Amino acid sequence: MDRLVFSRCKDPTYSHIAFHSPHVYPQDSSRFPQHTHDVVELLLFQDGQACYDVEGKSYPLYPNTLIITRPGVIHQIRLTGDATYERYVLRLDLKEHMPEQYPILEKLPDVMLLEADHPIVQIFHRMDAYYRQLSTQEYSEVLNLMIREIIYNLVIAVRKKETAEALPEHPMLRKIVAYI
């Protein structure tokens, strides 16, 4: 069942955040036509057979694929098999929530395949668990911290990518520079 934790209509204090605990849908691509959002959408794909279509590119989705959709970008989830489709979704106005980190969006890929033990995957699972165990006030405080943690993990990913791109091509030199 879809649970909207914070939205413009439920809690005006946190109008810039919406977290949906796992959506589970039967196979039906018509539920997901092309669309845009006026906020950042982070979608953590959990299960099913689907592709993410964005700006003329199509990405197959695997468990723990993080999709990063920027505001105003036309995108779509296209189901490709008979399996149910399960995901976590976090929508937030990054300009309002963490304006100093908004420029990071330009450096992020559209899709990141994460390991099951990656901090971002674990944070999404904890968000869902805390939702069931905490009061609304407690959860709102924790959610804000967890969102900051997700964003900082994305900052770390960008820095690692930039460092890797700056390393020399020769494998031995790469190891030496990485060690330093």
Side-chain angles (χ1 to χ4, degrees):
M1 187 68 167
D2 178 31
R3 292 182 299 198
L4 181 61
V5 177
F6 294 110
S7 71
R8 296 188 198 318
C9 60
K10 184 164 183 178
D11 187 343
T13 307
Y14 296 98
S15 62
H16 57 290
I17 300 170
F19 175 67
H20 299 267
S21 192
H23 292 291
V24 179
Y25 295 115
Q27 195 277 334
D28 179 9
S29 284
S30 65
R31 292 188 64 121
F32 309 107
Q34 288 190 340
H35 62 282
T36 65
H37 303 285
D38 59 354
V39 296
V40 174
E41 179 180 63
L42 301 176
L43 184 148
L44 184 65
F45 181 77
Q46 291 294 282
D47 194 28
Q49 296 171 339
C51 289
Y52 173 65
D53 297 334
V54 59
E55 298 184 330
K57 298 178 219 154
S58 185
Y59 300 94
L61 300 179
Y62 305 98
N64 300 319
T65 299
L66 179 67
I67 298 171
I68 302 157
T69 306
R70 293 144 188 86
V73 172
I74 297 172
H75 64 284
Q76 171 184 26
I77 298 292
R78 187 171 35 85
L79 303 180
T80 59
D82 293 333
T84 58
Y85 164 60
E86 183 178 347
R87 67 189 183 170
Y88 289 101
V89 178
L90 175 63
R91 291 188 191 99
L92 68 146
D93 184 340
L94 195 55
K95 283 184 181 176
E96 184 177 332
H97 194 72
M98 291 179 71
E100 70 282 3
Q101 298 301 338
Y102 189 78
I104 195 82
L105 286 178
E106 296 307 316
K107 298 180 180 182
L108 291 168
D110 295 326
V111 174
M112 298 170 65
L113 183 57
L114 306 175
E115 297 292 328
D117 63 348
H118 190 280
I120 291 175
V121 173
Q122 298 305 310
I123 293 166
F124 272 95
H125 290 291
R126 288 195 329 264
M127 285 175 159
D128 186 40
Y130 288 150
Y131 174 71
R132 290 189 299 271
Q133 299 172 24
L134 299 174
S135 71
T136 301
Q137 178 61 37
E138 292 167 332
Y139 186 69
S140 67
E141 293 169 11
V142 169
L143 184 62
N144 273 287
L145 295 172
M146 296 176 95
I147 289 169
R148 293 185 76 78
E149 188 177 357
I150 287 172
I151 300 306
Y152 284 121
N153 273 280
L154 292 173
V155 168
I156 290 167
V158 166
R159 288 181 184 158
K160 282 182 179 179
K161 180 180 180 242
E162 289 171 348
T163 301
E165 289 172 354
L167 292 175
E169 290 299 318
H170 191 279
M172 184 60 78
L173 288 176
R174 188 179 275 261
K175 287 181 183 178
I176 292 169
V177 171
Y179 178 75
I180 296 171

